[in-house]
């Protein structure tokens, strides 16, 4: 018996704005068609939750979102239990991991300080990452990609996951509830976990207190993982070495915020997953999802509303 | 027959200033001793050429220098043919390669521009290195180390060597005299070759003219490999994308030089091989050299005055 008799390729609405790259991605998906919303049984949505609210009809069985982290989608209440919702999780992992590596190296090599100079200051010497202890909080696609990139850099890498199960390439793997022992052992702390109640302000005055004086905090996840007031306070008292943040809380970080003027802080404007690269990667995910739906196999990154990702 | 009967462990003067880490490194070298200059047959020199001039006596058979690039030693005339001179070449390769990677990623991800902001500018999005074409001029220890580090970043890497012989990990290897075809193919150009007549101002108005408009030039070798006036001119006319320079010509780069104020330029103050890391690595090389001399095997990085390294 062929699955083709029991599973039909989806008819897909791409929106809210038409996007040729995404429509082409649908058509590459083994028989899937591009359709109007009224005829569609699947939606590919290249925007946030506000514009989708109230648009779905009962015939829509699948929704493919572009976002990798869906905390704002869950908070919006738009995600319901009437259909399958899929995120862009892991689609962008490699690119975001690369940005994390860029921020780690920039922090260790004091590149933000160097960039702000207008004269030769030979005392601005960094610390190689070579032999440093790197704690990676969250070993999903981004964390695993980063661990692979750190391999030739000879770091000692500890991966933190919900269960603590072994992560390929990491020297050790620990569970979230064993984190208390790890803060004091890390030269670099990378936040690569989804924004959930369990990770909310995981960097706070208590955990900052335990860190090494040279600790570099890198956040390419969500601003809510850091208590920003506590971070500013820790920097002011030289309790940690610095921070490199692609995401902030509040975001955007307001002008005049003390993080802008701290020489040990580098901020990139939520740019770890740049627009051009993101769209190309999302198109690949769209092709994969419509193919899987057409052949009756489980799509990647189905959202689990209980887990929050 | 043991080689111990024909080769004696050296008696080593460490200078010009005593340095415990280096003396300990000598003593770890299988029977080697630390000696005064008058009693020594080997010198470990942790300084530049000026302080060594005129100090060596005929009994000194080996001199171990700390420097990896010995262009200034050769220019000084201190290196003679009366003994074996050894450089620190390849000792620091891994650390310098790491700095090169930091500069490459900073350039692609626009980190220097981000570091100079005091407000959230979401348009400051970089380009992942993923799939970029990287041209590495010089595939010695640093170039090879960098190629290994670029592996997980999925670049297309071309290595340039004197002979063009195959370089492990590079997609292609070309000889120096085939370089003319390569400038226009590279998104990133990394200078990792020694300063020799063949590499003098290898980046000049002619080669800059051939480059892609997004080309990023990274120099962790020597300032003399770039015609700085031509580089400033190319940037002024948007002929290339940017530069990340650990070495400059002139060096130190004077205050007020146009490179300091160009948003696409990142300058680090000859800091690719930071002092603390350098001394630890040099100590390892000292142990290796005295051991090899004691056992009658060829030391690493014997200087070839004709090749210039």
């Amino acid at each position: 018996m062929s699955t083709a008799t029991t599973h039909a390729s989806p008819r897909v609405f791409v929106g809210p704005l038409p996007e040729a790259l995404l429509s082409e991605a649908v058509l590459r998906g083994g028989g899937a068609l591009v359709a109007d919303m009224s005829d569609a049984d699947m939606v590919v949505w290249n925007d946030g939750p506000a514009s989708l609210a109230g648009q779905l009809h009962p015939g829509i069985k699948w929704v493919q979102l572009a976002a990798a982290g869906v905390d704002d989608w869950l908070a919006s209440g738009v995600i319901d239990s009437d259909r399958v919702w899929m995120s862009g999780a892991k689609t962008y992992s490699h690119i975001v991991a690369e940005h994390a590596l860029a921020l780690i190296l920039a922090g260790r090599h004091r590149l933000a300080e160097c960039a702000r100079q207008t004269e030769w200051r030979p005392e601005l010497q960094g610390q190689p990452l070579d032999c440093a202890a790197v704690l990676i909080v969250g070993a999903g696609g981004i964390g695993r990609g980063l661990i692979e990139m750190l391999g030739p850099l000879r770091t000692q890498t500890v991966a933190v996951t919900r269960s603590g199960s072994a992560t390929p390439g990491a020297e050790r793997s620990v569970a979230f509830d064993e984190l208390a022992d790890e803060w004091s052992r890390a030269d670099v702390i990378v936040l690569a976990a989804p924004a959930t109640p369990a990770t909310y302000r995981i960097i706070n005055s208590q955990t900052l207190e335990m860190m090494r004086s040279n600790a570099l905090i890198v956040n390419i996840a969500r601003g809510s993982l850091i208590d920003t007031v506590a971070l500013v306070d820790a920097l002011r008292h030289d309790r940690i070495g610095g921070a490199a943040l692609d995401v902030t809380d509040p975001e955007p970080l307001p002008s005049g915020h003390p993080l802008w003027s701290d020489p040990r802080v580098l901020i990139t404007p939520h740019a770890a997953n740049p627009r051009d690269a993101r769209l190309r990667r999302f198109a690949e995910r769209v092709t994969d999802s419509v193919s899987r739906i057409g052949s009756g196999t489980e799509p990647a990154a189905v959202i689990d509303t209980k887990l929050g990702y």
Side-chain angles (χ1 to χ4, degrees), chain A:
Chain A
M1 285 250 303
S2 161
T3 56
T5 56
T6 52
H7 298 282
S9 291
R11 301 179 305 282
V12 185
F13 175 73
V14 175
L17 293 172
E19 175 66 70
L21 204 63
L22 298 180
S23 297
E24 289 159 21
V26 167
L27 299 177
R28 273 196 301 276
L33 298 171
V34 175
D36 291 336
M37 178 68 96
S38 56
D39 281 338
D41 54 10
M42 176 173 177
V43 167
V44 168
W45 201 248
N46 188 26
D47 197 14
S51 52
L52 185 61
Q55 295 235 32
L56 299 177
H57 59 74
I60 301 293
K61 293 189 275 184
W62 303 278
V63 183
Q64 173 69 60
L65 306 177
V70 293
D71 43 309
D72 55 340
W73 280 91
L74 291 166
S76 75
V78 171
I79 294 183
D80 56 28
S81 54
D82 300 341
R83 54 206 114 231
V84 174
W85 294 78
M86 298 160 285
S87 77
K90 303 209 168 146
T91 316
Y92 318 108
S93 301
H94 179 81
I95 287 172
V96 176
E98 187 191 308
H99 196 76
L101 182 65
L103 294 181
I104 294 169
L105 286 167
R108 293 285 290 187
H109 291 254
R110 301 175 72 177
L111 299 188
E113 280 172 273
C114 289
R116 292 166 185 143
Q117 305 308 316
T118 55
E119 60 178 16
W120 194 263
R121 288 187 51 206
E123 72 276 19
L124 271 182
Q125 307 221 345
Q127 286 280 326
L129 197 54
D130 186 41
C131 299
V134 181
L135 181 68
I136 302 179
V137 181
I142 297 169
R144 286 165 190 245
L146 179 59
I147 288 169
E148 189 194 346
M149 293 174 190
L150 288 171
L153 291 161
R154 305 181 189 163
T155 56
Q156 298 170 325
T157 306
V158 177
V160 186
T161 62
R162 271 189 308 134
S163 65
S165 59
T167 302
E171 193 165 295
R172 289 188 296 123
S173 298
V174 301
F176 262 101
D177 55 18
E178 301 166 312
L179 251 177
D181 294 335
E182 300 300 330
W183 302 115
S184 65
R185 295 176 181 160
D187 299 303
V188 180
I189 293 160
V190 183
L191 303 177
T196 66
T199 61
Y200 181 75
R201 297 198 174 170
I202 196 166
I203 304 294
N204 54 51
S205 55
Q206 284 78 44
T207 55
L208 284 158
E209 192 74 59
M210 290 186 257
M211 291 180 194
R212 292 184 174 180
S213 61
N214 72 323
L216 169 70
I217 298 174
V218 174
N219 192 359
I220 45 78
R222 284 288 187 266
S224 63
L225 272 67
I226 297 181
D227 178 340
T228 305
V229 172
L231 176 66
V232 169
D233 190 61
L235 286 162
R236 186 172 290 145
H237 294 91
D238 295 327
R239 265 189 252 118
I240 62 167
L245 311 172
D246 187 54
V247 288
T248 59
D249 179 21
E251 186 177 307
L253 194 70
S255 301
H257 193 283
L259 287 177
W260 286 117
S261 51
D262 193 308
R264 301 157 296 177
V265 174
L266 171 62
I267 293 163
T268 57
H270 207 138
N273 187 11
R275 274 182 294 266
D276 293 352
R278 182 168 62 215
L279 192 61
R280 284 196 303 276
R281 296 284 175 146
F282 182 45
E284 292 169 15
R285 169 59 59 90
V286 166
T287 300
D288 181 67
S289 289
V290 297
S291 305
R292 288 178 188 234
I293 289 167
S295 65
T297 53
E298 169 89 356
V302 170
I303 297 169
D304 181 321
T305 53
K306 288 214 184 64
L307 288 174
Y309 56 88

